[in-house]
Amino acid sequence: MITFAVLAHNEEESVAGAVAEALAAAGAGDRVVAVDSGSGDATAERAAAAGAEVISGPVGKGAAMRLAAKHAGTPWLCFLDADLVETSENIAAVLRAEALRADESVAMIVGEFSDPPPEPVLGNTIALYPALVRALFPEADGRFGRRPLSGFRVVRPDLMADVPDDFGVEAHLNLTVAVSGRPFSVTPIGMYRQRFRYKPDMGLEIGKAILDLAVSHGRVAPSARPAWDGWVASLAATMGSYRGDPGDRDAFRAHLMAAAAAPLPPTGVK
Ligand SMILES: O=c1ccn([C@@H]2O[C@H](COP(=O)(O)OP(=O)(O)O)[C@@H](O)[C@H]2O)c(=O)[nH]1
Ligand SMILES: O=C(O)[C@@H](COP(=O)(O)O)O[C@H]1O[C@H](CO)[C@@H](O)[C@H](O)[C@H]1O
């Protein structure tokens, strides 16, 4: 069956809603856990009151997800973000149905959500992640849908052993599965309105996860790594320094895409 894991860091306002969706989706033999990821608010209490089994975990999304995997004990593990403001469908139910239909060889199912208007400009999603993946992991390029970094995904728990502690976790999972050749799928999960909290380090963490794998897979030479780190840092800084009108989506998107088109360093690999 499936374990639903709601990942929550300081989500006291919305965690109960995410838990309720998971409980409504759960069937016989399923579990609903909430990982309280180092919250300083009433997240744990609200999750417990909503009916989840609460696991106390560290700050760091990847570390919280790894902890959930240790507790899962089911063939499938479904990660759910806790910052739900509004959804058009029960995301947990949609993902559970897809998991039950999946062949046992399938390693991961990524939930592809749409954003309500005005669609936000997701810098990591449209600029940083695709630029690095296109260059270093062509086997993964464009294969994880329009929201490749989606936190809504079902995985085989064995995939979680070596994920990074931070926001690099989804990029790591995508590339690891693509390189392994294990089957995966992408499924639409409807509209998801999230509560945005800009995190300046997210792009650095995503970039590090991708470059760590590129070096370990011999696609970037260790000697070339500092130049790639510099490329990531420059793009992340540009994304964070946008002083235009974020409400002017086209200008913001053009700004990001121009920055992401900066020449990439040599890989140092023949
Ligand atoms: O150290 C952390 C950071 C984030 N999260 C959770 O991971 C999900 C995605 O984080 P966030 O919403 O901040 O990222 P975004 O979706 O805005 O990119 C949310 O449910 C967070 O509460 C977590 O469990 N531990
Ligand atoms: O909503 C999204 O597409 C991004 C938001 O990041 P950006 O606004 O693209 O910088 O957040 C996703 O990426 C994170 C890192 O992989 C995940 O941890 C989030 O759960 C996911 O929402």
Side-chain angles (χ1 to χ4, degrees), residues 135-136 218-225 228 264-270:
L136 299 173
R219 303 190 183 190
V220 169
S223 59
R225 175 66 187 264
W228 285 84
L264 291 163
T267 62
V269 173
K270 297 275 178 290

Side-chain angles (χ1 to χ4, degrees), residues 6-11 14 18 35-39 43 58-65 80-84 113 122 124-125 149-152 165-167 170 192 194-199 202 206:
V6 176
L7 290 314
H9 172 70
N10 291 339
E11 302 287 9
S14 55
V35 181
D36 174 22
S37 178
S39 300
T43 293
V59 176
K61 192 185 179 187
M65 291 166 71
L80 302 167
D81 281 359
D83 60 341
L84 298 188
F113 57 85
L122 304 175
N124 289 300
T125 299
L149 298 175
S150 171
F152 300 101
D165 287 345
D166 54 27
F167 281 115
E170 285 88 4
Y192 154 54
Q194 58 184 300
R195 181 232 54 253
F196 267 107
R197 287 179 293 199
Y198 177 63
K199 291 161 289 297
M202 183 184 278
I206 294 167

Side-chain angles (χ1 to χ4, degrees), residues 11-261:
E11 302 287 9
E12 63 181 6
E13 292 306 315
S14 55
V15 68
V19 167
E21 278 209 353
L23 287 168
D30 295 345
R31 292 179 65 197
V32 176
V33 303
V35 181
D36 174 22
S37 178
S39 300
D41 65 4
T43 293
E45 295 80 358
R46 300 277 173 87
E53 299 171 54
V54 178
I55 301 169
S56 181
V59 176
K61 192 185 179 187
M65 291 166 71
R66 227 179 20 246
L67 186 62
K70 284 201 185 101
H71 283 74
T74 51
W76 279 120
L77 174 57
C78 179
F79 292 119
L80 302 167
D81 281 359
D83 60 341
L84 298 188
V85 175
E86 181 188 358
T87 59
S88 58
E89 302 184 52
N90 181 322
I91 293 175
V94 173
L95 288 173
R96 181 177 189 273
E98 193 65 23
L100 292 186
R101 277 194 288 271
D103 181 83
E104 65 180 19
S105 65
V106 171
M108 180 166 72
I109 303 165
V110 176
E112 180 184 58
F113 57 85
S114 60
D115 292 281
E119 184 168 317
V121 181
L122 304 175
N124 289 300
T125 299
I126 66 169
L128 188 141
Y129 171 87
L132 292 176
V133 170
R134 192 173 309 121
L136 299 173
F137 290 92
E139 66 267 56
D141 187 21
R143 294 188 57 202
F144 291 90
R146 294 182 64 249
R147 291 290 181 270
L149 298 175
S150 171
F152 300 101
R153 60 183 64 209
V154 196
V155 303
R156 299 295 182 188
D158 70 274
L159 283 177
M160 299 307 296
D162 61 352
V163 299
D165 287 345
D166 54 27
F167 281 115
V169 54
E170 285 88 4
H172 177 97
L173 285 169
N174 291 354
L175 301 185
T176 301
V177 170
V179 168
S180 74
R182 292 173 71 176
F184 65 91
S185 66
V186 178
T187 193
I189 55 174
M191 179 280 290
Y192 154 54
R193 186 189 306 275
Q194 58 184 300
R195 181 232 54 253
F196 267 107
R197 287 179 293 199
Y198 177 63
K199 291 161 289 297
D201 291 345
M202 183 184 278
L204 298 175
E205 294 167 3
I206 294 167
K208 180 179 184 301
I210 297 170
L211 294 179
D212 284 351
L213 286 170
V215 169
S216 64
H217 287 286
R219 303 190 183 190
V220 169
S223 59
R225 175 66 187 264
W228 285 84
D229 287 333
W231 188 93
V232 167
S234 172
L235 178 54
T238 303
M239 284 159 56
S241 65
Y242 184 65
R243 291 294 173 263
D245 170 8
D248 180 350
R249 287 182 58 253
D250 292 343
F252 191 10
R253 181 186 286 268
H255 170 76
L256 290 177
M257 300 319 280

